Every structure is written in C-alpha cells, then in structure tokens.
Amino acid sequence: MSSAARPSNSTGTSARKRGRPRHEEPSEEYETKLREVVSVASEVFRLRGYDAGTLDDVAAAMNLRKASLYYYVKSKADLLRMIFDRAIDRSLEQIEEYLAIEDPRDRLEALIRHQALTVAKDPALFAVFFDHRAGLKADDMADITAKERRYLRYFIEAAEDAMDADVLPKADSRMVAATLIGMSSWVYKWMDPGRDDPVVFAELCVQLLLPRRQ
Amino acid sequence: MSSAARPSNSTGTSARKRGRPRHEEPSEEYETKLREVVSVASEVFRLRGYDAGTLDDVAAAMNLRKASLYYYVKSKADLLRMIFDRAIDRSLEQIEEYLAIEDPRDRLEALIRHQALTVAKDPALFAVFFDHRAGLKADDMADITAKERRYLRYFIEAAEDAMDADVLPKADSRMVAATLIGMSSWVYKWMDPGRDDPVVFAELCVQLLLPRRQ
DNA sequence: CCTACCGATCGGTAGG
DNA sequence: CCTACCGATCGGTAGG
C-alpha cells in the first residue's frame, strides 16, 4: 500500500494504467498525496514562515511523521520550489487567451481580473510566493524570476496600449504595471475564504481602475 | 567610550546634557546607534527573512560581533518588535492632519499619498512589517494589530465618504480600503531607491484611483 | 566591545 | 510509514 511508483517526474494527467505498473510514472495516489503536501506546506509556511515552519509541522498536519514526507519530496528546498512552481503555473495558465484580446481596455481588464482571481482563490499559495522568496535556492530563484519577468512584461504592454487608447492616465508603464499587479495581488494578505468572494474582489479591482462611464 | 547610559527607555530627542550623565536617559550615541541597528536589521531581514537572517549578519554589517548587539537590544525578538514599532509610528505620524481634511476626495487622496510615500521611502522597513509578521511574539503581535486596525478604519471611513460623494464606485468599504492600501503599499516589493521616485509613485496612485476629469 | 561556549532546534538519514 | 539518531546552525550568556 505504501510502495506506489515514484519515478523521476512528470506533471501530466496520467491515464489509469492496466497490468503491472511500469514504475516509470508516479501513481495517482502518489500525485494526489504530493499535491496535498504542497497545499499543506503552503499553509504552514504562510502561518509560520519558511524557516520557522518545520517539516514536522507539515507532516503533523497530515498525520504523518517528518521522515515519511521524504517519500514525496527530496528536501525542504524542493518542497518550497514546488510551491513556487505551482503559483507561477497558475499565473501563466490561460494567459495566452487574454493576450489575444484586441481591445486594449478589454485586454487590460482581463489581465487584472485574472491576477485578482488567481491570487484570491489560493491566498496561502501566493503568500508564500510573494513573501518567502528568500528561502529559494539560487537556481530555483533564477527560474522563477525569469517566468515572472515575462508575466510582468504582459502587463507592461497592456498598460502601454491602454495609455495609448486613453483608457489609463499616461505614466511610466513599468511603474503602472507593477502597481496594477500589486493592487490585485495584495488580496492574499486579508482574504478570508469564508467571508470574501474572489469574484467580487476581482470586479472591484476592475471598477476602481477602469470605471464604466456613467 | 563604550559605557554610554542605557536606561529603561524613552524616545524623545534628548537635548545635549552637561556635567555627569545622570544615567537615566539614553545617551545620544546610544540612540543613534540603536536606530542604525534597527535599520540594518530591517535590510537583513528583508533579504534573508527573519529566521534565516542572523544576529551575526546584522552585527557584521555594522562591523561588530553578535555579542555586542546585546548592548542595544534585549533579544532578537526585541529587535523585530522595534522594526514594527518604527513602521507603525511612521504610518500614524501626521495622520491626524489628513483626517481633518473636510472634502472627501481630498482626504482620501491625502491618505493614499501618505501611505504610498511612507512605504516607498523605506521599502526595507515595510518589507519586514508586511512580510515577516510571523516572527512576532504574541504580545507584540497584539499591539501591532490593534494599531493597524485603527489605521485601516481611517481608510474605511474615508472610502465610505468618498463613495457617498460619488468619488469612488460604490462597493464594500472594507474591501475597498484594503485594496487601496494594497495598491499603495506593494511598492516595497519593487522599489529601487536609485531608480524610482517615491513622489512620482504616490502621484501615480492618486491618478489611477482618482483621475482628474479632463 | 570581544572570545569562547552552551543548549535547543531541526533538516536529513539509517534501517527496518 | 516509523523510531532513533547525527550534525550543523544560531540565539543567548559568561566573563573579561
């Protein structure tokens, strides 16, 4: 029961397999449990910080002992890396679709709504992503910042087009983009899933920045 | 040279004293050096996090050894508390003046500008304040959150008045206030003092949220 | 303001 | 999936 296949890696949705497992792709239980480890760890690191949050904390929250976590993760640093990968993947998901929008106002609106929704739906994940970057190893940090720079560039371009179309006041586009991202990301600091609705928040951001003419 | 008076506490600007020090107020060198410890520590904790940033790091940045820091701080937790006190004091400074502004639009504008400027002028201080709260002892945390709640309330009231005056779109005032604070605070994440101007940023926030009619 | 040290914590591993 | 352990790090103190 506890010897599920755990080969090097892969992220796809592996189809149910027949016959003897080939021990080359992770089993479904393994993948599911790994996802849970990542979720639980993001809660622990959000509450206690990356260094203060121990692997015993993570394990205890899953009714395990620390040593058992090493079946799922290579090291604590590896666990942190997986949290960051998940966050950046969520941010980049569906983004192509929004970039294809022609109208500058609609495109900027879609990007802001996307960022607000993505962060508001998983505040613990993004709390670690935004606040505990210092825990990353240099290599992992480089991977993340590269993807993030690309993400920022989308916002800069959308801001520039919006300014040209007189939808936003003219200003330094890098600063504007960072500020729009900040406004829609800060939600992880106060979001209470039992009280606040991600969709309501996302629409609020859009309304505040791009009010419909009355 | 290294036996300056260091009594319990006090924060005022102590006037130069004549004659034998009374050993009841901290000397000026002591106060100056303590302020430097707090500044340096906020840089260290911003870069490495509160737990990973060691007192040896802080000491080394001042050409001292760890043990020498204990002349200025009681403990690492005490140092963190001082960082938080400084941040909240900066936020509350001058705030009464802005609250006295009658016009709802002008008042909200002043609050946003104040928050943006305060954070942008000391990004390291606010990086610790916003991102490393988990390091605080329970008592210190309670003090900080109480003051912070008061600060948030000012923004909520200003947002409500602005909505009543049709200066902001109508929405949940708590959510609006949190979002305005977020927009003007996020700057600590990307501010580069050599490149970005706090005043330009503050005016950008105001322009984005409360654009002048053209 | 320093050197030298202690005690506790925690990531990681052995071995089953 | 566990118990038991090791090794390194670091806050804090003694004592000068």
Side-chain angles (χ1 to χ4, degrees):
Chain A
M1 178 58 182
S2 64
S3 56
R6 183 198 46 169
S8 40
N9 231 339
S10 144
T11 321
T13 42
S14 52
R16 186 78 53 95
K17 271 164 296 308
R18 283 171 301 182
R20 183 162 167 280
R22 308 242 349 272
H23 277 265
E24 271 157 17
E25 297 176 16
S27 74
E28 249 174 77
E29 305 103 277
Y30 175 83
E31 298 267 14
T32 304
K33 208 72 180 289
L34 176 56
R35 273 192 294 272
E36 193 188 345
V37 172
V38 172
S39 297
V40 169
S42 71
E43 288 287 0
V44 168
F45 296 156
R46 170 173 66 161
L47 286 172
R48 314 207 22 189
Y50 172 65
D51 287 277
T54 69
L55 292 182
D56 267 324
D57 292 332
V58 177
M62 300 180 67
N63 285 317
L64 296 178
R65 303 288 168 173
K66 173 174 61 170
S68 312
L69 286 181
Y70 283 85
Y71 178 67
Y72 300 99
V73 303
K74 289 205 317 283
S75 64
K76 195 185 186 191
D78 189 47
L79 181 50
L80 186 64
R81 184 189 54 75
M82 285 190 283
I83 293 176
F84 276 76
D85 280 346
R86 182 185 288 186
I88 202 85
D89 285 353
R90 296 256 182 94
S91 299
L92 289 170
E93 253 167 37
Q94 301 172 320
I95 199 93
E96 310 288 344
E97 174 186 337
Y98 304 126
L99 295 178
I101 297 173
E102 297 255 345
D103 181 71
R105 189 187 199 285
D106 291 343
R107 184 163 80 250
L108 185 62
E109 202 177 298
L111 286 178
I112 291 168
R113 187 179 284 115
H114 167 69
Q115 178 68 5
L117 268 181
T118 304
V119 175
K121 280 181 182 165
D122 200 340
L125 184 72
F126 284 90
V128 179
F129 181 78
F130 285 124
D131 295 351
H132 299 290
R133 199 153 302 193
L136 283 177
K137 298 288 173 201
D139 296 351
D140 299 333
M141 178 87 86
D143 291 348
I144 295 296
T145 51
K147 289 183 182 171
E148 214 178 8
R149 235 191 308 272
R150 198 178 107 208
Y151 192 72
L152 175 61
R153 211 167 300 129
Y154 297 148
F155 276 77
I156 292 177
E157 282 161 21
E160 283 170 356
D161 292 349
M163 287 188 269
D164 289 345
D166 274 319
V167 165
L168 276 187
K170 306 237 188 294
D172 177 73
S173 58
R174 210 195 116 274
M175 201 178 258
V176 171
T179 303
L180 301 184
I181 289 175
M183 178 187 215
S184 31
S185 301
W186 190 258
V187 60
Y188 75 86
K189 295 277 192 189
W190 52 266
M191 181 80 194
D192 174 349
R195 176 192 62 188
D196 306 308
D197 181 345
V199 172
V200 169
F201 169 69
E203 296 313 314
L204 171 64
C205 288
V206 169
Q207 277 305 306
L208 286 174
L209 291 165
L210 303 166
R212 298 273 157 210
R213 330 191 180 292
Q214 31 204 337
Chain B
M1 178 57 183
S2 65
S3 56
R6 181 197 47 171
S8 39
N9 232 340
S10 146
T11 321
T13 43
S14 52
R16 186 78 52 98
K17 272 163 293 308
R18 283 171 302 180
R20 183 165 166 280
R22 307 237 353 268
H23 278 264
E24 271 159 15
E25 298 175 14
S27 73
E28 249 174 75
E29 305 102 278
Y30 174 84
E31 297 267 15
T32 304
K33 208 71 180 286
L34 175 56
R35 274 193 292 273
E36 192 188 344
V37 172
V38 173
S39 298
V40 168
S42 71
E43 288 287 359
V44 168
F45 296 156
R46 170 174 64 162
L47 286 172
R48 313 207 24 190
Y50 172 67
D51 286 278
T54 69
L55 292 182
D56 267 324
D57 292 334
V58 176
M62 299 180 67
N63 285 317
L64 295 178
R65 302 290 168 170
K66 173 175 60 170
S68 312
L69 286 182
Y70 283 86
Y71 178 68
Y72 300 99
V73 304
K74 289 204 318 282
S75 63
K76 196 186 185 189
D78 189 46
L79 181 49
L80 186 64
R81 185 190 53 75
M82 285 189 283
I83 293 176
F84 275 76
D85 280 347
R86 181 184 289 185
I88 202 85
D89 286 352
R90 295 256 181 94
S91 298
L92 290 170
E93 253 167 37
Q94 302 173 319
I95 199 95
E96 310 288 344
E97 175 185 336
Y98 304 126
L99 295 178
I101 297 173
E102 297 255 347
D103 180 72
R105 188 186 199 285
D106 290 344
R107 183 162 82 251
L108 186 61
E109 201 177 301
L111 287 178
I112 291 167
R113 188 180 283 116
H114 167 69
Q115 178 68 8
L117 267 181
T118 304
V119 176
K121 279 181 181 165
D122 200 341
L125 184 72
F126 284 91
V128 178
F129 181 77
F130 285 124
D131 295 352
H132 300 290
R133 199 154 302 194
L136 283 177
K137 299 287 172 201
D139 296 352
D140 299 334
M141 179 87 88
D143 291 348
I144 295 297
T145 50
K147 289 182 181 171
E148 212 176 10
R149 238 192 307 271
R150 198 177 108 210
Y151 192 72
L152 175 61
R153 211 169 300 127
Y154 298 149
F155 275 77
I156 292 177
E157 281 160 22
E160 282 170 356
D161 292 351
M163 287 188 271
D164 288 345
D166 273 320
V167 166
L168 274 188
K170 308 236 187 295
D172 176 72
S173 59
R174 210 196 116 274
M175 201 178 257
V176 171
T179 304
L180 301 185
I181 290 176
M183 178 188 214
S184 31
S185 300
W186 190 258
V187 60
Y188 75 86
K189 295 278 193 188
W190 53 266
M191 181 81 192
D192 174 351
R195 177 193 60 188
D196 306 308
D197 180 347
V199 173
V200 169
F201 169 69
E203 295 313 314
L204 172 63
C205 288
V206 169
Q207 278 305 305
L208 286 175
L209 290 166
L210 303 166
R212 299 272 157 208
R213 329 192 183 292
Q214 31 205 336

